[in-house]
Amino acid sequence: MSEGREQPQRPARRHEPESGAAAVRRLRIGAGALLLAVGTAYFLLPLEGLGADRPWLGGSLFVLCLTLVATLLLRHVRDIVLERPQARSGIMISLLMCLAVLVFSSGYYALAQQPGQFTGLRTRVDALYFTVVTLATVGYGDITPRGQEARLVAVVQIVYTFVFLTAAATALSRRMHAVVAERERRPPPSS
């Protein structure tokens, strides 16, 4: 700066808080992008290497991922039960439920690489299909767990669904009812 001349000072920019609708929109976009990335990773990651060659690695990753998803689900369920207004748990619960399905699908696909574990499960789409059919308790019978490990993982999925995904779906439903009731109580915008 030259002497005698002062730079005019600009007022500090205030960081205005984001509106609730804008924050939700950003969260939805982020959750959608994350789900797309995880879904793409499911089809691109070398899950074959977690099967017959290194079953201990596949099993460890499977348990670690399920534990992480369950922990996050319970945290968001807690936020809804405690009615924390700042929580955006509805979107996160939906994302985590989808993630749980992909974790089980990955586990089934890796397990199917071991001889004798499954009949009819050959592709990642087969694994995703089997996961959804098991989740929905439909059981068409075209893919069957034959080995003890495959049957154990199917039982784990049923119990996991019963405990964690049912709690998450119940909390999500409760949250949606609260949001609808709150919107109905608001007066209509004046014109």
Side-chain angles (χ1 to χ4, degrees):
M1 265 196 322
S2 61
E3 290 181 40
R5 292 194 333 194
E6 291 183 23
Q7 287 279 53
Q9 285 187 337
R10 292 183 185 167
R13 285 180 50 175
R14 287 186 186 171
H15 182 70
E16 294 185 27
E18 194 173 31
S19 74
V24 169
R25 188 172 28 260
R26 282 188 31 183
L27 186 60
R28 284 182 183 157
I29 290 169
L34 183 60
L35 187 58
L36 182 63
V38 170
T40 301
Y42 169 73
F43 285 101
L44 296 179
L45 286 174
L47 299 174
E48 295 83 5
L50 299 175
D53 297 340
R54 291 175 251 167
W56 60 271
L57 179 60
S60 299
L61 283 172
F62 178 72
V63 169
L64 178 68
C65 288
L66 281 183
T67 302
L68 178 64
V69 171
T71 302
L72 291 171
L73 273 171
L74 289 175
R75 186 171 156 200
H76 288 288
V77 167
R78 179 198 65 202
D79 289 347
I80 289 175
V81 170
L82 296 177
E83 297 177 357
R84 294 190 173 155
Q86 76 280 9
R88 302 278 186 231
S89 295
I91 295 168
M92 292 308 298
I93 285 177
S94 301
L95 177 68
L96 290 166
M97 290 172 80
C98 292
L99 191 58
V101 168
L102 291 176
V103 169
F104 275 104
S105 296
S106 299
Y108 287 132
Y109 183 71
L111 199 54
Q113 305 308 307
Q114 296 178 24
Q117 289 298 325
F118 279 97
T119 301
L121 198 155
R122 293 178 197 84
T123 67
R124 292 171 199 247
V125 173
D126 289 343
L128 186 59
Y129 163 80
F130 180 74
T131 303
V132 173
V133 166
T134 303
L135 176 73
T137 66
V138 177
Y140 293 126
D142 52 345
I143 298 175
T144 55
R146 310 260 316 168
Q148 295 302 300
E149 292 160 12
R151 290 178 177 180
L152 181 62
V153 173
V155 168
V156 167
Q157 182 189 351
I158 292 166
V159 171
Y160 191 92
T161 299
F162 205 63
V163 174
F164 296 106
L165 298 187
T166 301
T170 302
L172 185 59
S173 175
R174 180 178 176 176
R175 175 76 178 136
M176 293 302 123
H177 283 287
V179 167
V180 169
E182 182 181 319
R183 285 185 182 165
E184 288 177 352
R185 283 193 300 264
R186 285 189 210 151
S190 59
S191 302

